[in-house]
Each structure stands twice: as C-alpha cells, then as structure tokens.
Amino acid sequence: MSKPSLTPSPDSPELAALVSHAAQAREWRLTELFQQDASRASRFTLEAAGLCLDYAKNHLNHQTLELLTNFAQMRGVAQLRDAMFRGDRINVSEQRSVLHTALRLPPEAHLNVDGEELVGEIQHELARMALFAERVRQGDWKGYSGKVITDVVNIGIGGSDLGPMMTVAALRTYAHPRLRFHFLSNVDGHATVATLANLDPASTLFIVASKSFTTQETMLNAHAARRWFLQHAKEKDLAAHFVAVSTNTSAVTEFGIAAENMFPFRDWVGGRFSIWSSIGLSLLIAIGTDHFRAFLSGAHAMDAHFQHAPLNANMPVILALIAFWYREFFETSSQLIAPYHEDLRHFPAYLQQLDMESNGKRVTRNGEPVSMKTSPVIWGSAGTNNQHAYFQMLHQGTDLIPVDFIVALTATHDLPDQHRALLANCFAQAEALMNGVQDPSLPPHRIFPGNRPSNMLLMEKLTPATLGALIALYEHKTFVLGVLWNINSFDQWGVELGKTLALRILAELDGSAMAYPHDSSTAALIARARSLTTR
Ligand code: F6P
C-alpha cells in the first residue's frame, strides 16, 4: 500500500490548482450557480446513516469538488482513515491508537490490534455497564437508606462532561421518567454548591468520570461531593453512591471507589471521542441498554459509510472539504453550528471541543510549522433564539461565516404548528443568507449582500441512532480536516501550560509555596487576591 504523503510541498500541483480555481470561485454568485444547473440541489445532496446533507448552497461546482478531492487523496485521507480503523498508532505524539470506532462495532465483529482481540473486551465492559445501568433504572440499586436512585450527577470536565451532558439532553425524550441528571464540571464552587443544594444524598448517585482521574476540576468536585455525602451518611455507604469511569485504576482505588464500582476504558479512546465508552454511563442509565446500542449502531453506520463511500460522495469528507475550502480560500475564521432542535442545544459546545481541541494546532505531524490556517472558531446555539440575537451579523456584517443548519423533519412533541414554524425559519434563514436583497431602490441599510453559504443537515427524527450518526459524522469530519492540514488531531498539548501555571499560582494563593517570578500584572493580581482570601 502506498504511504500517505505527510509533508506535501505547499506548492504541490493539487494545491496550486485549488489556488487558481479559488480565484474564480470567489467571484461566483450562489444564485447564479443554481440558475446554471437545474439539478444542482440533487447533485449536491448526500444520504448516509439516516442523515441527509444538502450542500448545494456552497461556493462550489463539480470542478471544485474534484480539485478538493484530489488534494485529499494527495494528503492520504483514505490511507490514514484505514490506518485509524485498523488501530495503527496514528496519534504520533502520544504513540497511541485511535479506536473510538471500535467501541461501536457490532458484538459479532472482530478487531485484532497488536495481537489483541478487542471486541470481546469492549462488549464485556458494555455488558457490565448495562447491568449496572438497568439496576439503577429499575430501582434495584438502592441508596444507603433503601431509597431508589432519583438523581445522577456526572462529575467530569471536557470530554468527560460535554459528551454525557449533550447526549442526555439530546435524548431527553427517551430518558427514564424517574431519573434526573446533573452535570458538574466547573471548578467554580458556585456550581458545586448549586448542584448539591437540591439533592437528597440518600437517592443520589455520583459518577466520577475522568480518563486520567487526576484532572483538578473533577477531583475537587468529587471530593466536595464526597464530603457533602459524608455529612449525611457513613464511609461504608459510599459504595452505593459513588462509581467511577476511568483508565486509572490505582487513582480510583485511592479515592475510595472499589474495583467493582469502576467502569474502565482504554487509553486509545480520546477524551473528546469518549461518549461511546464507559464515559457514556450516564447516557446509558438515562436511555437504557437497547437505546444505547441503537446509538452505537447509528455511529457504526456512519463509520461504515466513511470507510467505504468514495471520497467525492462521502459525507464526512465532503463536510471537511467544504470547511477547508472556506478556511483556506475565503478567509473565514469561524463556523456557525445552528441546530434547529432545542434538545441539541449543547451540540455546538460539544463540537467546540471536538473541532478546536483536535485541530487548533500550529505544527504538522512531523513538528514543522503548518503553512495553512487551521481550526476556525466553532460557535453557535439553537434556533430560532439565535435569529433574535446574532443572525443580524450573519446577514449584514462584514465577515463571511459558513453555517451548518441541523434539523429534524419530525418532532417528538404534539405541537405540529410550532414544528412547521421551526422548519420554516430554518429553511428561510439558509435561503435568505444565499439570496440576500439587492434592490437598488432600497436604502443601503435595507440591502442584504447574500451569497453567504450554508449546509443543511436533515434527519427524519432525532433518535439514538441518528444522534450517533450525527456525532460520528462530525468526528470524521474533524479527522479529515486534520489530515488535510497534516496535523495530529488526537493530542491536546495546548491545554498543559495553563494547567501547570494554575497549580503554581494555587500554591502561592494558599501560601504553601514561594512566589514565582511573575510579570508585574500577574504578581499584582495574585497579591490582590491574597489580600482578600487570607483575611
Ligand atoms: O482539557 C484537556 C482534557 O484532557 C480534555 O482533552 C479532556 O476531555 C478533559 O481534559 C478531561 O480529562 P479527564 O477525562 O482525564 O478528566
């Protein structure tokens, strides 16, 4: 098999072709592209794994896609994709495999990595989690006083929080009616106190979720929850109320959680790709085993599409190529994610970590400076609230901001008039961004330049399976973008410096360490904080 070219010269013929094509494409008007081709909508619509992507409202034609696909081929997208699914150590800076896709393989599948058969172990852990989750759901798992569990608190941050929080909200209508879910992530004690304030310790289950089990925020919150619990109960009662999800068995044991109450996962699952692992325990408790398996199957269906569809008809690849196109050739610096589904309101925040922690990098896989612009700012919130807040800027501001609209054609409620209004607003925004209003008889402030691109992602209904497919779609889009930029999307060294300095400053704030030579601004801030906190 030919090796992917990991360091193509910036003046590779594929890139040069894109540069000259982009000079023309920037002059195109989207409305004219539609006039020129009656079949444009169907030509630029793709279906996969229960999702439909209409990407016709973009500054591209067939030649654009061909040139972008050539570039993707030259970068080795297909080879690196296959290497990822195979379990090669493509996370080069940490020498790790990247195998979140293995977690959603069907039980009868096989995957042998370095002589180890993984699917059996994955299914064994899933069965353990499912057994526990069903006991909680059915009320068989009792608290220290014999009460059933009514509240589940996931304590974790980053990938150990955003995945569980986003998915539990997204699948709210599938959740067990007795159970309430809470997500404690911030080290800010205001959040801790507010979360604990309304809980009954006798019917609360804490899931301490941390891949490393050393993350400062999670450990401080877990210890605060433990202290709060012990004000009401005894040490021996902890076992019924605290479980852990981690790769770090010794740290979990040290915290006081027994091995039988720990749900492990492996280091080849990255934090922001971990919802499919035991990090998904709160989701599994919420929706139950069958729905959780459907969630995994939906993601697997997208994996199969990503693995087998040709690059020019491959949904994650197309999304990545479009994102790359705008970032490199239209000077866009952000991308808006607009779910027109209230239950997907946390999806933009989830994608912020997925995309920006993965691709916010400045050196290549080989350590050389990246010659292109990498991850744009990912932002967004649920429609239609966004229309009454910042959409003004999308329509008439000076920046070009590509939008991904995400919408379900049917609702899980019985207010059909409201659902029709939601759909109408979603489609209208995409149309308005593209068409604009250029009537010369209008005053300038009434003019909309239009020509602003968007993708429309449709699903029939938001279900465990379509949610699984949606997340997997964006995971693979993120991966492909990383390959196009020739960066390692699976490490996150950029978060380390702040963590180290925070520990140093913490020691200064509590007076346990000597002052470190800070700049005068930071030194003054520390002194000001100390003057209040030491009183
Ligand atoms: O912020 C860095 C990070 O390592 C994320 O990648 C991760 O999701 C988060 O912290 C939480 O880490 P852990 O699960 O080890 O507590």
Side-chain angles (χ1 to χ4, degrees), residues 428-466:
Q429 288 300 323
E431 197 173 41
L433 284 166
M434 176 172 78
N435 290 347
V437 175
Q438 290 91 35
D439 182 346
S441 67
L442 290 171
H445 63 269
R446 303 284 305 271
I447 300 294
F448 291 66
N451 216 25
R452 300 186 171 202
S454 63
N455 290 312
M456 183 68 65
L457 254 176
L458 305 172
M459 61 191 96
E460 199 181 310
K461 190 177 163 193
L462 183 60
T463 64
T466 53

Side-chain angles (χ1 to χ4, degrees), residues 156-160 209-215 218 265 270-272 274 279 353 357 492 495-496 499:
I157 197 163
S160 302
S210 174
K211 180 175 172 179
S212 59
F213 227 76
T214 57
T215 303
T218 303
F265 62 106
R272 52 197 174 272
S274 62
I279 290 289
Q353 188 199 13
E357 197 171 84
Q492 55 283 323
V495 301
E496 296 303 324
K499 285 185 194 172

Side-chain angles (χ1 to χ4, degrees), residues 35-54:
Q35 282 154 16
Q36 287 158 16
D37 179 2
S39 59
R40 184 172 172 87
S42 59
R43 220 182 260 273
F44 295 113
T45 295
L46 265 179
E47 312 257 354
L51 303 181
C52 171
L53 169 67
D54 170 358

Side-chain angles (χ1 to χ4, degrees), residues 179-409:
L179 295 166
R180 288 180 294 263
F181 291 85
H182 313 265
F183 297 90
L184 187 49
S185 52
N186 198 337
V187 76
D188 185 343
H190 298 103
T192 318
V193 169
T195 304
L196 297 176
N198 299 318
L199 296 173
D200 174 0
S203 61
T204 299
L205 175 73
F206 292 97
I207 300 173
V208 186
S210 174
K211 180 175 172 179
S212 59
F213 227 76
T214 57
T215 303
Q216 184 192 45
E217 292 91 334
T218 303
M219 290 303 109
L220 283 170
N221 273 321
H223 281 287
R226 193 176 189 274
R227 282 195 305 274
W228 170 84
F229 179 79
L230 289 176
Q231 285 165 10
H232 307 272
K234 303 203 165 47
E235 288 264 345
K236 68 170 177 47
D237 302 325
L238 283 166
H241 293 269
F242 281 79
V243 300
V245 170
S246 186
T247 56
N248 188 346
T249 313
S250 56
V252 169
T253 315
E254 206 172 304
F255 181 85
I257 295 177
E260 66 265 25
N261 291 340
M262 172 179 169
F263 299 93
F265 62 106
R266 299 277 288 260
D267 69 0
W268 37 252
V269 183
R272 52 197 174 272
F273 301 88
S274 62
I275 184 60
W276 324 100
S277 71
S278 42
I279 290 289
L281 182 59
S282 46
L283 176 66
L284 176 51
I285 295 173
I287 65 176
T289 310
D290 292 347
H291 288 317
F292 192 80
R293 283 199 179 276
F295 173 68
L296 297 178
S297 302
H300 178 67
M302 183 56 74
D303 293 342
H305 166 79
F306 178 48
Q307 278 184 288
H308 303 298
L311 295 187
N312 63 3
N314 192 310
M315 204 183 275
V317 175
I318 295 288
L319 273 190
L321 292 176
I322 293 171
F324 178 80
W325 179 234
Y326 291 129
R327 184 75 175 122
E328 300 311 323
F329 302 107
F330 287 72
E331 295 184 359
T332 59
S333 56
S334 84
Q335 148 121 65
L336 178 70
I337 306 295
Y340 274 62
H341 200 308
E342 186 64 19
D343 295 344
L344 284 174
R345 65 191 173 282
H346 298 306
F347 194 55
Y350 178 83
L351 291 190
Q352 280 179 329
Q353 188 199 13
L354 180 62
D355 210 310
M356 293 160 80
E357 197 171 84
S358 297
N359 289 337
K361 310 280 168 68
R362 49 175 287 286
V363 295
T364 65
R365 296 162 62 83
N366 302 333
E368 290 146 11
V370 183
S371 58
M372 291 183 262
K373 298 251 187 264
T374 62
S375 177
V377 174
I378 303 292
W379 60 294
S381 56
T384 60
N385 297 25
N386 50 17
Q387 294 172 205
H388 299 271
Y390 50 76
F391 266 44
Q392 161 67 37
M393 184 257 206
L394 300 185
H395 289 288
Q396 289 188 317
T398 50
D399 283 35
L400 186 73
I401 300 180
V403 184
D404 280 3
F405 291 99
I406 304 171
V407 68
L409 294 175

